Amino acid sequence: MARKPARAPNDDIGEETRLKMYRTQVVIREAEQRAFDLFLQNLVKGTSHLSLGQEAVAAGFATAMNPGDLSFCTYRGHAHTLARGVSIEKVLGELMQRDNGLMRGKGGSMHLTSEEHGVMGSYAIIGAHLPIACGAAWRAQYKGQKDVSVCFFGDGTTNIGAFHEALNFAVIWKLPVVFVCENNLYMEYTPIEDVTAVQHPAADRAGAYGLEAVIVDGQDADEVYRAAQAAYAKARAGGGPSLIECKTYRYSGHSRADPAKYRKPGELDKWKERDPIKIYRERLLQFGIEQETIDKIDTEVRQVVDDATEKCKAAPQPPFELITRDVYADGGWAWRN
Amino acid sequence: MARKPARAPNDDIGEETRLKMYRTQVVIREAEQRAFDLFLQNLVKGTSHLSLGQEAVAAGFATAMNPGDLSFCTYRGHAHTLARGVSIEKVLGELMQRDNGLMRGKGGSMHLTSEEHGVMGSYAIIGAHLPIACGAAWRAQYKGQKDVSVCFFGDGTTNIGAFHEALNFAVIWKLPVVFVCENNLYMEYTPIEDVTAVQHPAADRAGAYGLEAVIVDGQDADEVYRAAQAAYAKARAGGGPSLIECKTYRYSGHSRADPAKYRKPGELDKWKERDPIKIYRERLLQFGIEQETIDKIDTEVRQVVDDATEKCKAAPQPPFELITRDVYADGGWAWRN
Amino acid sequence: MAELTYRDAVTRGIAQEMKRDPDVVFLGEDIAAAGGVFKTTVGLLEEFGPLRVRDTPISEQAILGAAMGAAMTGLKPIAEIMFSDFIAVCFNYLANEFSKHRYISNGQTKCPLVVRTANGGGARFGAQHSQSVENWCMMIPGLKVVAPSSPTDVVGLLAASVRDPDPVIFLEHKSLYPIKGEVPDGEIVDTIGTAKILRSGRDATITALALMVPRALEAAEKLKEEHGIDCEVIDVRSLVPLDTQTILGSVGRTHRLFTVEENPRLCGWGAEIVSIVADEAFYDLDGPPVRITTPHLPLPASDVLEDATIPSVDRIVDRVKRSLNA
Amino acid sequence: MAELTYRDAVTRGIAQEMKRDPDVVFLGEDIAAAGGVFKTTVGLLEEFGPLRVRDTPISEQAILGAAMGAAMTGLKPIAEIMFSDFIAVCFNYLANEFSKHRYISNGQTKCPLVVRTANGGGARFGAQHSQSVENWCMMIPGLKVVAPSSPTDVVGLLAASVRDPDPVIFLEHKSLYPIKGEVPDGEIVDTIGTAKILRSGRDATITALALMVPRALEAAEKLKEEHGIDCEVIDVRSLVPLDTQTILGSVGRTHRLFTVEENPRLCGWGAEIVSIVADEAFYDLDGPPVRITTPHLPLPASDVLEDATIPSVDRIVDRVKRSLNA
Ligand SMILES: Cc1ncc(C[n+]2csc(CCOP(=O)(O)OP(=O)(O)O)c2C)c(N)n1
Ligand SMILES: Cc1ncc(C[n+]2csc(CCOP(=O)(O)OP(=O)(O)O)c2C)c(N)n1
Ligand SMILES: [Mg+2]
Ligand SMILES: [Mg+2]
């Protein structure tokens, strides 16, 4: 069968990137779905915050990054961590608090960190990582390094003080940092509109920092990718920070404990019609990519998730000696002589 | 000599109110000037933050208040405290940390509080009192009481997290609170423009909370008074909060220790041309008030300040028994049995 | 008498006080429509309406600041901070504002409010959602600090906290929410500042708080059965005011002191108690006072690691036994 | 050797380290153009330029957050928090973020930063600008906490803090800024975690920190001259790591322990030291260990009241004398 043209006319993204973005979204979808299954089996410990439905945001921003760019995530950070190339096994292992986990079970699902992949941490105190991302960007600026710091957070985070301090700080110092608000309409269980003075929690605040209001369709990875590219380019060129609000929706509850009864009737179904992976499959076909290629990605990813699951189930618990390790830089915890 | 008409045509403020506002400004000017003299004599202890040059803001907002309205001030709160009718002796006594002080020397100059005058405290941690004022306003709303909570703070305060949280909170709950930013161009020693992403630190943030941007000439008590009246009326009518930015300038240093070398050349002189008391004297004359009446106020106030000074100098130190008093509501400090 | 969970006791305590006094209002994140992330406030919105039970944005400073301003002017707010770890983002209100304003104002103002929060470990939530922060609160002059260990104490101490004219930090232990206990019918009001001797004993005094109380009791049983060591167990219940009389009295009888603290070691509440006993009952002590604490490190998330970090029944048994046999 | 104020020693310490290492950067409110509200940073902007010495807005969370992000990725930031009381508005960074990230990440990340802040009373600034918050810092696992009492220690310990691979809270005492001392020429680098015996004595050990050190020394002189009591005075210098060997060694010789703490009593650092000594050196002690602290209350502004609140030379003398004569 003849191959359709890889690039449609006027397309700026291209096949290779699109396939990468597709695979990333499938990785997130499958890994998160597996995480959900595993905690139904009581194999995921503690809490867990899934990004099912929000995959396009993570995929778009990560795919547009260069190696060396830095991600700062929240407790809802599995997606962003996977999107930077961290292995599914390590992520699931951490959720299962096994020794093969990304932090060997010491951090848990809310704190995924992989320095070698540029995932500079997942922070579970709302808003705290926005100033931290500013600091990383300040380092880049000071050292003349060209990496961008990208900071992901939710709509609810726009109402905490640290958000405000970070935005002002980033602008006055013209830092190469990109703030990404994933507006999924809810904080934990409370609709964001009930507790926010403006309609667009991030975009309507941009002007308070002299920034442009940017709203992106968070269900369309291409749109996200383009917005990310523009913001990174601006940051790398010394143009300072951006604040981008992505409209999206989470399919699962806020965390493992949440049955999400607060949803408006029909809301979930309406959003599922614009499922990011569905949208992206159509996009790929539209740009001439074969169904087979797509199916192959799906199969491959599922296989990786299955393998990872087995490895995690077989992995040992972390050893007790980890408890007193790495409090301080000497590797130990001695607060006295 | 025939009395000139007390009200010029179309005037909305009237003689009585104007005389009150004038007297309030003179009280602040004279008392603050005296505080300055007293700390040159080493009779004012600790620190002190004067409002010389900013008198019109305090006078305008206080004069427009009803009894029962509540003021929440900062360390730079002498002006707002005096404007609510607290005696000069008590204020100077507190600055001198004497037993006749408003809090008998226990609080000091940064914490002037007079519940009976509606001065619900002066807060020395930047931004902390904005949420507190929201709480007082919430009580009024909940109890159906008609008082307004008025919260004064500086330009520098608009960059701290609590500012952001309070503004959003006040708007979503539609609280009867008025936020007054006295923009005197500097935080302590740093020009506000060097550290703020927008030109008008408060007004340019109003939109982030769905509020109208209001900028007022803080050197003109009438303008301030009108803005205050409008905001209070809106609050009392259930219309929710306002954020008002008053452009003003402080003549003295930030605090007693500060020679204010950071001023731009000529800046102080330029502002002194628009001295609020000078402007207001002219305004009174223009509305037909006699020079004599004005002079009499000046003389009276000076006398009160002189008398207060003598009383404070003669006042004893606070007794040691105060140290362990009023930590808890039982009047004591017992943390154990 | 009805059997109630610690979780439902929280709801009952709040409801009891809101029914009694219309000035009691309640605010926090996800507490109204959703009934709280720990389901401790289910039904309160329905019972008391949206003016008294209010959902807030994620603005902990606004929550505590608003509670303070309302308390200063005539309400009796209960504010929820979802996890006690988040006190760190609004610590200024505890450390500098509602704790100090009465003093600063020379007694003019008041701050009768309660901050309820889910404290402690055991849920495998990791370093930022599992801390025991009782010492963060105890060290601040002007606060009262309460931490119940049973459903009945939850109701009674919560009622006492709401009625208290001073700011009270009310630490609920998240691992105790599912435990059950018999709770008397009708209104329950306890007294803040009173410890309770839950088990009498002659050989040693063990002071404990919250989740550490059932563990200390179980350890005492084991010590008795397996080693013939007879421990008195005191549920401290209230760190401020601190019932030093009960503790000193007990040490005067047993001559040995152990503290079981979930907060990490340095400057924990046990240090304070040891320093009081060592000073005032030095000659009563027959051996060193010993602190059994979470080690001075952040909490690991993993279940096996977390369980090995927070004081366990076995650790208590072992430490007491070794110490008394030394 | 040159005579230097404690204030100028801060400047010298920062300058020494900024000269040595271009990755050392410095940020805070009014620290650059104005040279700091305590004039501890005069001339640094001129010497190191606006890229390394940066004025910030009043955004303490942004200051500490930015310091952390910079530290994690390769800089060695020094952040100033103007008054230590303001740690309360950015406490989350101390309590939950830079203290825990290395642990949370299983050793992947680092946070080599220094938070400098003006701590302590004596300036008649009242309850929100005079506190001693050493226990706020000491109680957080993952932090190091240093508090120098002399100009030489300021330079040496500040240098050590900047070079330390972990986050260090560096508490300067605002009432010590004007004191003078001889400071050696050339580079000075001290060691964190070491206490210093500043005066040998046989009858009792007094541990003190920062402003309490000169007071303890003066008290020791008086106790010797007026009452024949010979005290050993230890400048603790570093609360974390804590040099327990020096303290335990001293108590082993003197058999009595006093702590002189400026922090208010409950959960103060002295409680921690007492609890260590009472446990590990119980049989060395000839009498109760005694804590001399600021009482557990907010600080009054008035000079006479403030002086009567913070431990004074006379109070130390009196307490030690009464205790040893008991
Ligand atoms: C300071 C703080 N307050 C509250 C919480 C509890 N909490 C965790 S997630 C969350 C909701 C966050 O909403 P949003 O920012 O929209 O992110 P989302 O979870 O929707 O991705 C809340 C309130 C927290 N972790 N930290
Ligand atoms: C949280 C906090 N940070 C810093 C300070 C120190 N400080 C006191 S006043 C001030 C400047 C405030 O500027 P602005 O809000 O403009 O008020 P102004 O003094 O000009 O009236 C600063 C930084 C403080 N008191 N609290
Ligand atoms: Mg959300
Ligand atoms: Mg200002």
Side-chain angles (χ1 to χ4, degrees):
Chain A
M1 192 162 80
R3 223 164 171 290
K4 292 187 201 154
R7 259 173 186 273
N10 295 324
D11 183 40
D12 53 328
I13 294 180
E15 176 169 329
E16 196 188 343
T17 303
R18 280 223 171 74
L19 286 175
K20 195 173 166 205
M21 267 198 294
Y22 178 69
R23 182 183 293 267
T24 301
Q25 293 180 80
V26 177
V27 162
I28 298 168
R29 172 70 48 98
E30 296 295 326
E32 294 278 58
Q33 194 57 57
R34 181 60 49 90
F36 186 76
D37 298 343
L38 287 167
F39 65 59
L40 290 183
Q41 297 165 46
N42 238 333
L43 286 167
V44 161
K45 306 293 172 56
T47 183
S48 245
H49 304 78
L50 307 180
S51 294
L52 292 168
Q54 304 186 197
E55 295 89 348
V57 179
F61 275 98
T63 308
M65 286 184 202
N66 290 344
D69 287 338
L70 302 179
S71 305
F72 293 82
C73 319
T74 68
Y75 50 90
R76 199 180 304 289
H78 318 162
H80 299 289
T81 302
L82 291 165
R84 295 301 304 275
V86 176
S87 83
I88 294 172
E89 180 194 336
K90 289 204 159 171
V91 170
L92 288 181
E94 191 63 29
L95 270 59
M96 292 165 73
Q97 305 184 341
R98 301 295 172 108
D99 199 35
N100 67 338
L102 191 54
M103 299 93 77
R104 302 184 68 185
K106 272 180 86 167
S109 79
M110 296 202 279
H111 297 296
L112 300 178
T113 304
S114 184
E115 204 186 14
E116 60 173 315
H117 296 89
V119 181
M120 292 307 294
S122 300
Y123 298 80
I125 307 286
I126 293 292
H129 62 315
L130 281 79
I132 299 171
C134 288
W138 174 32
R139 178 266 325 148
Q141 181 188 64
Y142 176 75
K143 294 202 169 217
Q145 294 162 344
K146 282 295 168 207
D147 59 285
V148 176
S149 292
V150 188
C151 183
F152 302 96
F153 53 90
D155 45 283
T157 303
T158 65
N159 290 326
I160 202 161
F163 168 87
H164 180 67
E165 295 192 13
L167 265 291
N168 185 63
F169 197 87
V171 170
I172 58 169
W173 287 21
K174 266 203 161 190
L175 298 176
V177 56
V178 177
F179 296 105
V180 180
C181 176
E182 299 186 69
N183 182 353
N184 61 10
L185 309 189
Y186 294 89
M187 33 185 274
E188 294 209 0
Y189 313 147
T190 302
I192 192 66
E193 66 196 11
D194 292 358
V195 292
T196 309
V198 289
Q199 195 193 344
H200 305 293
D204 289 348
R205 266 79 180 253
Y209 315 102
L211 291 174
E212 197 190 334
V214 181
I215 296 180
V216 171
D217 175 2
Q219 304 309 92
D220 184 334
D222 281 0
E223 292 300 308
V224 174
Y225 178 83
R226 290 190 185 101
Q229 273 199 317
Y232 300 166
K234 175 181 161 195
R236 282 191 237 280
S242 301
L243 173 61
I244 299 172
E245 179 169 336
C246 300
K247 299 287 183 197
T248 185
Y249 195 76
R250 64 167 154 72
Y251 296 164
S252 49
H254 166 74
S255 65
R256 73 182 282 186
D258 169 27
K261 295 201 180 138
Y262 43 78
R263 293 189 205 281
K264 291 177 189 73
E267 192 180 70
L268 179 59
D269 291 337
K270 207 199 78 200
W271 278 91
K272 282 195 167 169
E273 286 168 22
R274 298 205 67 244
D275 180 78
I277 292 180
K278 196 174 92 180
I279 288 176
Y280 217 69
R281 282 210 190 98
E282 284 160 20
R283 182 76 39 81
L284 293 182
L285 292 171
Q286 171 195 335
F287 277 98
I289 292 165
E290 306 283 344
Q291 185 66 49
E292 268 167 49
T293 313
I294 298 173
D295 293 345
K296 187 154 163 271
I297 291 175
D298 294 357
T299 317
E300 279 169 13
V301 170
R302 252 171 239 136
Q303 189 58 50
V304 176
V305 171
D306 286 341
D307 292 350
T309 307
E310 291 319 304
K311 283 205 185 116
C312 290
K313 283 183 180 168
Q317 304 286 2
F320 290 124
E321 77 217 35
L322 287 189
I323 293 175
T324 51
R325 241 197 242 163
D326 289 317
V327 178
Y328 293 113
D330 64 6
W333 68 301
W335 53 268
R336 60 176 287 187
N337 61 9
Chain B
M1 193 164 78
R3 223 162 171 293
K4 292 187 201 153
R7 257 174 188 273
N10 294 325
D11 183 37
D12 54 328
I13 294 180
E15 175 169 329
E16 199 188 341
T17 302
R18 280 225 170 73
L19 286 175
K20 195 173 165 203
M21 261 195 301
Y22 178 68
R23 183 184 293 268
T24 300
Q25 293 181 79
V26 176
V27 162
I28 298 168
R29 173 69 50 96
E30 295 295 325
E32 293 278 58
Q33 193 58 57
R34 182 58 49 89
F36 187 77
D37 298 344
L38 286 166
F39 64 59
L40 290 183
Q41 297 164 48
N42 239 330
L43 286 166
V44 162
K45 306 292 172 54
T47 182
S48 246
H49 303 78
L50 308 180
S51 294
L52 292 168
Q54 305 185 196
E55 295 89 347
V57 178
F61 275 98
T63 307
M65 285 182 202
N66 291 344
D69 286 338
L70 302 179
S71 306
F72 292 82
C73 319
T74 68
Y75 51 90
R76 197 181 304 290
H78 317 163
H80 298 289
T81 302
L82 290 164
R84 295 302 302 275
V86 176
S87 84
I88 294 172
E89 181 193 333
K90 289 204 159 169
V91 170
L92 289 180
E94 192 62 29
L95 270 59
M96 292 165 73
Q97 305 184 340
R98 301 296 172 106
D99 199 34
N100 68 338
L102 190 54
M103 298 93 78
R104 301 183 71 186
K106 271 179 87 167
S109 78
M110 295 201 281
H111 296 298
L112 299 179
T113 305
S114 184
E115 204 186 15
E116 61 172 314
H117 296 88
V119 181
M120 291 308 293
S122 300
Y123 298 80
I125 307 285
I126 293 293
H129 62 315
L130 281 81
I132 299 171
C134 288
W138 174 32
R139 178 264 326 148
Q141 181 189 63
Y142 177 73
K143 293 200 167 220
Q145 294 163 344
K146 280 295 168 206
D147 58 284
V148 177
S149 291
V150 188
C151 183
F152 302 96
F153 54 88
D155 44 283
T157 303
T158 64
N159 291 325
I160 202 162
F163 167 88
H164 180 68
E165 295 192 13
L167 265 290
N168 184 64
F169 197 88
V171 170
I172 58 169
W173 287 19
K174 263 202 164 193
L175 298 176
V177 57
V178 177
F179 297 103
V180 181
C181 175
E182 299 187 69
N183 182 353
N184 61 11
L185 310 189
Y186 294 89
M187 34 185 275
E188 295 207 1
Y189 313 148
T190 301
I192 192 66
E193 66 195 10
D194 291 359
V195 293
T196 309
V198 289
Q199 194 192 346
H200 306 292
D204 289 348
R205 266 82 179 249
Y209 315 102
L211 292 173
E212 196 190 336
V214 180
I215 295 180
V216 171
D217 176 1
Q219 303 309 92
D220 185 333
D222 281 1
E223 293 299 308
V224 173
Y225 178 84
R226 291 190 184 101
Q229 273 198 317
Y232 301 167
K234 175 181 162 195
R236 283 191 236 281
S242 300
L243 173 62
I244 299 172
E245 178 168 336
C246 300
K247 299 286 184 197
T248 184
Y249 196 77
R250 67 169 150 71
Y251 295 166
S252 48
H254 165 74
S255 66
R256 76 181 282 188
D258 169 27
K261 292 200 181 138
Y262 43 78
R263 292 189 204 284
K264 291 178 187 73
E267 190 179 71
L268 179 59
D269 292 336
K270 207 200 80 200
W271 278 90
K272 282 194 167 167
E273 284 167 21
R274 299 204 67 246
D275 180 77
I277 293 182
K278 197 175 91 180
I279 288 176
Y280 217 70
R281 283 211 188 97
E282 283 160 19
R283 181 77 40 80
L284 293 182
L285 292 170
Q286 173 196 332
F287 277 98
I289 291 162
E290 305 285 342
Q291 184 66 49
E292 268 167 49
T293 312
I294 299 172
D295 293 344
K296 189 155 161 271
I297 291 174
D298 293 359
T299 317
E300 279 169 15
V301 171
R302 252 170 236 134
Q303 190 59 48
V304 177
V305 171
D306 286 341
D307 292 350
T309 307
E310 291 318 305
K311 283 203 187 116
C312 291
K313 282 183 180 168
Q317 304 285 3
F320 290 124
E321 77 216 37
L322 288 189
I323 292 174
T324 51
R325 242 198 240 161
D326 289 317
V327 178
Y328 293 113
D330 63 7
W333 69 300
W335 53 269
R336 60 176 285 186
N337 60 9
Chain C
M1 274 307 216
E3 198 176 60
L4 214 62
T5 60
Y6 185 101
R7 179 192 321 276
D8 292 337
V10 173
T11 327
R12 174 158 153 199
I14 300 173
Q16 173 184 301
E17 293 308 297
M18 292 191 79
K19 247 179 255 159
R20 181 186 56 83
D21 183 350
D23 286 343
V24 178
V25 289
F26 178 33
L27 79 170
E29 294 162 19
D30 303 304
I31 56 119
V37 299
F38 294 105
K39 301 286 166 232
T40 48
T41 61
V42 175
L44 294 174
L45 171 67
E46 292 69 21
E47 186 169 357
F48 300 103
L51 289 180
R52 295 183 70 189
V53 179
R54 298 196 76 160
D55 279 325
T56 69
I58 310 176
S59 307
E60 280 80 5
Q61 297 194 74
I63 293 170
L64 293 196
M68 175 171 170
M72 290 174 79
T73 57
L75 297 184
K76 297 269 207 164
I78 305 173
E80 175 174 309
I81 297 297
M82 194 186 286
F83 285 74
S84 65
D85 315 66
F86 309 162
I87 285 178
V89 302
C90 49
F91 190 57
N92 185 49
Y93 290 91
L94 283 82
N96 287 320
E97 307 299 345
F98 54 66
S99 51
K100 293 185 165 60
H101 209 269
R102 176 184 291 276
Y103 190 83
I104 279 174
S105 70
N106 192 36
Q108 292 179 70
T109 58
K110 56 177 189 288
C111 292
L113 59 85
V114 177
V115 179
R116 290 179 45 240
T117 188
N119 193 45
R124 294 72 175 92
F125 286 164
Q128 295 184 335
H129 281 68
S130 309
Q131 292 169 89
S132 274
V133 305
E134 47 265 32
N135 54 345
W136 299 11
C137 306
M138 185 181 191
M139 67 175 181
I140 303 295
L143 299 180
K144 293 178 177 170
V145 185
V146 172
S149 72
S150 74
T152 302
D153 278 8
V154 165
V155 182
L157 289 173
L158 187 48
S161 300
V162 172
R163 295 175 196 205
D164 198 276
D166 292 306
V168 181
I169 312 299
F170 191 83
L171 300 166
E172 299 162 13
H173 200 293
K174 64 176 88 69
S175 286
L176 290 175
Y177 282 137
I179 68 152
K180 287 182 182 167
E182 290 294 323
V183 179
D185 297 330
E187 188 181 81
I188 311 179
V189 190
D190 206 327
T191 306
I192 294 179
T194 54
K196 258 192 196 160
I197 299 178
L198 294 186
R199 183 187 196 286
S200 310
R202 307 182 321 182
D203 297 331
T205 298
I206 304 181
T207 56
L209 196 75
L211 180 65
M212 296 299 104
V213 171
R215 295 195 182 175
L217 284 169
E218 199 183 326
E221 289 308 315
K222 276 203 178 181
L223 282 160
K224 186 73 207 270
E225 276 165 37
E226 295 171 19
H227 309 284
I229 297 172
D230 186 21
C231 293
E232 184 141 311
V233 176
I234 299 180
D235 182 349
V236 177
R237 303 202 320 151
S238 159
L239 291 170
V240 186
L242 184 66
D243 183 357
T244 56
Q245 291 317 312
T246 297
I247 297 167
L248 289 164
S250 174
V251 173
R253 291 186 299 273
T254 65
H255 309 295
R256 289 301 296 265
L257 173 68
F258 296 84
T259 64
V260 188
E261 293 163 75
E262 193 177 333
N263 55 209
R265 169 163 182 134
L266 295 187
C267 301
W269 59 262
E272 185 57 45
I273 288 182
V274 165
S275 78
I276 293 167
V277 169
D279 183 354
E280 300 176 29
F282 184 74
Y283 299 102
D284 283 338
L285 285 170
D286 282 350
V290 172
R291 297 173 60 203
I292 301 159
T293 79
T294 297
H296 201 66
L297 36 81
L299 279 175
S302 142
D303 49 356
V304 291
L305 301 187
E306 188 181 32
D307 284 342
T309 306
I310 297 173
S312 62
V313 172
D314 287 346
R315 195 147 107 222
I316 302 169
V317 169
D318 180 63
R319 200 69 190 78
V320 173
K321 190 188 65 186
R322 276 196 293 127
S323 199
L324 288 188
N325 294 342
Chain D
M1 274 308 218
E3 198 175 59
L4 215 62
T5 60
Y6 185 102
R7 178 190 323 274
D8 292 338
V10 173
T11 327
R12 177 162 150 196
I14 300 173
Q16 172 186 301
E17 294 307 297
M18 293 191 78
K19 246 178 258 160
R20 181 184 57 83
D21 183 350
D23 285 342
V24 178
V25 289
F26 178 34
L27 80 170
E29 294 163 19
D30 303 304
I31 56 119
V37 300
F38 293 106
K39 301 288 166 233
T40 49
T41 59
V42 175
L44 294 174
L45 172 66
E46 292 69 21
E47 187 169 355
F48 299 103
L51 288 181
R52 296 184 67 189
V53 180
R54 298 195 77 160
D55 279 325
T56 69
I58 309 175
S59 306
E60 279 80 4
Q61 296 195 75
I63 293 169
L64 293 196
M68 175 170 169
M72 290 174 79
T73 55
L75 297 184
K76 296 270 210 163
I78 304 173
E80 177 174 307
I81 297 297
M82 196 186 284
F83 286 74
S84 65
D85 315 65
F86 309 162
I87 284 178
V89 303
C90 48
F91 190 57
N92 184 49
Y93 290 91
L94 282 83
N96 287 321
E97 307 299 345
F98 54 67
S99 51
K100 294 186 163 60
H101 209 271
R102 176 185 292 276
Y103 191 83
I104 280 174
S105 71
N106 191 35
Q108 292 180 69
T109 58
K110 58 176 188 286
C111 292
L113 58 85
V114 178
V115 180
R116 290 180 43 242
T117 187
N119 192 45
R124 292 74 175 92
F125 285 164
Q128 294 184 338
H129 280 69
S130 309
Q131 291 168 89
S132 275
V133 305
E134 47 266 31
N135 53 345
W136 299 10
C137 306
M138 187 182 189
M139 67 176 182
I140 304 296
L143 299 180
K144 293 179 177 171
V145 185
V146 172
S149 73
S150 74
T152 302
D153 277 7
V154 165
V155 181
L157 289 173
L158 188 47
S161 300
V162 172
R163 296 176 195 203
D164 198 275
D166 292 307
V168 181
I169 313 299
F170 191 82
L171 300 166
E172 300 162 13
H173 200 293
K174 62 175 91 68
S175 286
L176 290 175
Y177 282 138
I179 67 152
K180 287 183 180 165
E182 291 292 325
V183 179
D185 298 330
E187 188 180 81
I188 310 179
V189 190
D190 205 328
T191 307
I192 294 179
T194 55
K196 257 192 196 160
I197 299 178
L198 294 185
R199 185 188 193 286
S200 311
R202 308 184 319 183
D203 297 331
T205 298
I206 305 180
T207 56
L209 195 76
L211 181 65
M212 296 298 105
V213 172
R215 294 192 183 176
L217 284 170
E218 201 183 323
E221 289 307 316
K222 275 203 180 182
L223 282 160
K224 185 74 208 268
E225 275 165 34
E226 295 170 18
H227 308 284
I229 297 171
D230 186 22
C231 293
E232 184 141 309
V233 176
I234 298 179
D235 182 349
V236 177
R237 303 202 321 151
S238 161
L239 291 170
V240 187
L242 184 66
D243 183 357
T244 56
Q245 291 317 313
T246 296
I247 297 167
L248 289 165
S250 174
V251 173
R253 292 186 299 273
T254 66
H255 309 294
R256 289 302 296 267
L257 173 67
F258 296 84
T259 65
V260 188
E261 292 164 74
E262 193 176 333
N263 55 210
R265 169 163 181 133
L266 295 187
C267 302
W269 57 262
E272 185 58 44
I273 288 181
V274 165
S275 77
I276 294 167
V277 170
D279 183 355
E280 301 177 28
F282 184 74
Y283 299 101
D284 283 338
L285 285 170
D286 282 350
V290 172
R291 296 173 59 202
I292 302 159
T293 80
T294 296
H296 202 65
L297 36 80
L299 279 175
S302 141
D303 48 356
V304 292
L305 301 186
E306 188 181 31
D307 285 341
T309 306
I310 297 173
S312 63
V313 172
D314 287 347
R315 196 147 108 224
I316 302 169
V317 168
D318 179 63
R319 201 69 191 76
V320 173
K321 192 186 64 188
R322 277 196 292 127
S323 198
L324 288 190
N325 293 341

